Amino acid sequence: MREEERMENNGLCPGLEPGRFMVAHADGAARAGCLHTAHGIVRTPIFMPVGTVGSVKAVAPDDLHALGAEIILGNTYHLYLRPGDELIARRGGLHRFAAWDKPILTDSGGFQVFSLPGLRKIREEGVEFRSHLDGSKHLFTPEKVIAIQRNLHSDIIMVLDECVPYGTDYPYTAKSIEMTTRWALRSREAYPKGTGRNLLFAITQGGFFPDLRAASVAQLAEHDFDGFAIGGLSVGEPKPIMYELLAHTVPLLPGAKPRYLMGVGTPLDIVTGISHGVDMFDCVLPTRNARNGTLYTSQGKINIKRKEFAEDDGPLDPACACYTCRTFSRAYLRHLYHSGEILSFRLNSLHNLTYYLDLVRAARQAIKEQRFAYFKRHIESLYPDEAAQAAGA
RNA sequence: GGUGGGGUUCCCGAGUGGCCAAAGGGAACAGACUGUAAAUCUGUCGUCGUACGACUUCGGUGGUUCAAAUCCACCCCCCACCA
């Protein structure tokens, strides 16, 4: 099956050069393509499991290979603080250190500046913050963050950005995108095109103001980044607002470059993103929810801890081919959850990640076969509450 | 047989006259989780009622008191030590 995928890969994007991105199929705004990184080709649209500290929680690389993960995430902030990017560099980089030989994208730490409350100062030079581990003070500059990610041997380096919370006013947001742009340009200067094999992605921001979103994209798009991300969404805003902004922003991003919607989202969010032309996604939901008992199935979302599953001998999802679904009953998975067993985290994570990877694979296939709109309606039908909410009901 | 300690709402366990349907923890039930300080957090948790509230409960029985899980008497059971 892996071999088959590889052949499809070759068939999908013949002659794709290292470091390049290619759109092979389009269906409306949705597109399917390939991104060539230093550690191999990633087929888009893709979901990237989150492995913040160099580990996709509860899941080993073998499992990730089995469920078809093509690229995972690591985090600059966390790995810099512990065990240290230089230590990882001495181990031969994050791939070798973590025994993951496929691509890795590393987030810049911009999100941590946003999400970790407490002492932090954002100024032109960079961000001063305190470690959540020991309270020690650190300074992240755009240049420093690039250096850290190069030490990690990241395949896709994200620039340092400022992610503003929902509710941030217009004047602040307007200034913020200007600084995020300057930071991105400093990042590009610190790591000129052609220096190494790592790709460099810029992050567009703009809060919840369409014109600022457009301005941020315009400022960044004229420069030679390898990809463009949309940051600062799904930070507490109502879903219709996020969807409107997504619909507004994605088409502005350069069509020839990969487009990455950061930190999003639910299956519906992802399919919606794909429909607008997003190529890459990451989110903690499948792994975090797995650990908290919320599982995604072909019938929609279920909470495995519910009493109704206590004597349910059926598989978690009859339509799923993952190890968990092939092997265990809902009753057993519920028991493992209630007993606080470590195996619960692993089996649930395995399943949810399989669901997400299957989802993007199915989306890719639907695009290829020109039936993406139908596919999207099907996914919407699985999450009626969320779809209604997104529609503003 | 003696001496001492104890029996509290599903479990453990606070509570020694009114502010007690009774702290806290656990279990149970339900919900949340979106570039992971998340193996986390929130709610419910005697019965009936949407609620103000009403009713029943602290081993048993009887008593003292305006008022008892709390005081008294007897009884039942458990634990420790001594015989």
Side-chain angles (χ1 to χ4, degrees):
Chain A
M1 164 150 173
R2 298 276 309 285
E3 202 47 42
E4 197 177 298
E5 284 180 6
R6 196 154 294 161
M7 287 174 61
E8 183 206 335
N9 218 4
N10 292 339
L12 192 64
C13 303
L16 181 61
E17 288 171 24
R20 300 301 296 273
F21 172 71
M22 173 188 282
V23 174
H25 302 277
D27 181 1
R31 59 214 210 140
C34 299
L35 175 63
H36 199 143
T37 79
H39 285 83
I41 292 174
V42 172
R43 293 171 301 163
T44 64
I46 189 66
F47 175 77
M48 306 180 280
V50 178
T52 304
V53 301
S55 150
V56 177
K57 294 187 194 302
V59 179
D62 271 1
D63 298 323
L64 291 172
H65 289 306
L67 57 85
E70 298 185 21
I71 172 172
I72 64 173
L73 237 74
N75 188 279
T76 299
Y77 167 87
H78 295 271
L79 292 169
Y80 157 82
L81 288 180
R82 185 170 63 191
D85 52 299
E86 291 176 358
L87 182 148
I88 291 174
R90 290 193 291 275
R91 308 277 93 64
L94 187 55
H95 299 80
R96 271 184 69 184
F97 188 50
W100 171 256
D101 58 4
K102 289 182 180 174
I104 296 176
L105 178 151
T106 46
D107 186 28
S108 62
F111 186 75
Q112 278 61 45
V113 170
F114 153 83
S115 69
L116 297 177
L119 202 64
R120 60 173 191 226
K121 273 184 217 145
I122 302 169
R123 51 176 198 260
E124 188 65 31
E125 184 189 8
V127 192
E128 198 174 74
F129 61 91
R130 282 190 183 279
S131 159
H132 70 281
L133 298 173
D134 63 4
S136 56
K137 222 185 253 185
H138 301 266
L139 176 69
F140 267 5
T141 63
E143 295 82 7
K144 168 112 182 167
V145 157
I146 298 286
I148 293 170
Q149 292 178 84
R150 292 198 68 195
N151 273 338
L152 297 175
H153 296 196
S154 173
D155 292 282
I156 302 175
I157 293 173
M158 301 304 299
V159 301
L160 186 65
D161 65 325
E162 184 186 18
C163 179
V164 300
Y166 181 57
T168 301
D169 64 27
Y170 190 95
Y172 186 95
T173 308
K175 280 191 174 154
S176 172
I177 61 163
E178 303 279 345
M179 189 180 70
T180 288
T181 297
R182 288 192 295 273
W183 282 4
L185 299 186
R186 277 167 59 187
S187 303
R188 184 75 278 181
E189 266 178 53
Y191 179 57
K193 190 97 176 168
T195 310
R197 299 175 69 202
N198 323 288
L199 304 179
L200 182 66
F201 279 27
I203 304 175
T204 67
Q205 290 284 349
F208 293 86
F209 306 101
D211 62 317
L212 294 182
R213 284 277 163 189
S216 179
V217 171
Q219 290 167 20
L220 290 164
E222 61 178 282
H223 295 94
D224 195 7
F225 292 98
D226 300 298
F228 293 89
I230 298 175
L233 289 187
S234 205
V235 290
E237 73 280 12
K239 208 171 259 285
I241 292 184
M242 172 187 157
Y243 279 20
E244 273 172 37
L245 220 44
L246 200 54
H248 170 256
T249 309
V250 181
L252 304 175
L253 296 168
K257 298 287 177 68
R259 309 197 277 216
Y260 167 24
L261 177 55
M262 303 187 78
V264 173
T266 65
L268 185 62
D269 292 342
I270 288 175
V271 170
T272 302
I274 293 172
S275 78
H276 293 302
V278 176
D279 307 298
M280 304 164 68
F281 303 84
D282 79 281
C283 192
V284 304
L285 272 180
T287 41
R288 179 182 291 169
N289 279 351
R291 276 176 274 121
N292 294 327
T294 298
L295 303 173
Y296 295 94
T297 77
S298 57
Q299 311 296 309
K301 211 165 69 163
I302 70 170
N303 197 327
I304 197 62
K305 66 185 170 192
R306 289 174 64 93
K307 197 187 189 87
E308 62 182 291
F309 303 122
E311 304 207 39
D312 189 334
D313 297 320
L316 171 56
D317 184 354
C320 177
C322 82
Y323 173 66
T324 303
C325 291
R326 286 197 320 268
T327 317
F328 304 99
S329 66
R330 289 173 163 188
Y332 184 64
L333 293 174
R334 178 178 188 271
H335 162 67
L336 289 179
Y337 181 85
H338 278 274
S339 303
E341 282 296 310
I342 294 174
L343 186 58
S344 169
F345 301 137
R346 169 154 177 260
L347 296 180
N348 291 350
S349 297
L350 227 51
H351 170 78
N352 271 356
L353 286 176
T354 299
Y355 180 90
Y356 267 64
L357 269 302
D358 282 352
L359 179 76
V360 293
R361 271 192 289 264
R364 193 157 55 215
Q365 196 63 25
I367 292 165
K368 217 166 145 182
E369 295 170 5
Q370 304 292 304
R371 51 178 178 77
F372 183 78
Y374 174 82
F375 172 76
K376 180 166 178 269
R377 279 196 297 277
H378 170 64
I379 297 300
E380 285 165 349
S381 75
L382 294 180
Y383 304 97
D385 294 349
E386 194 188 343
Q389 193 194 339

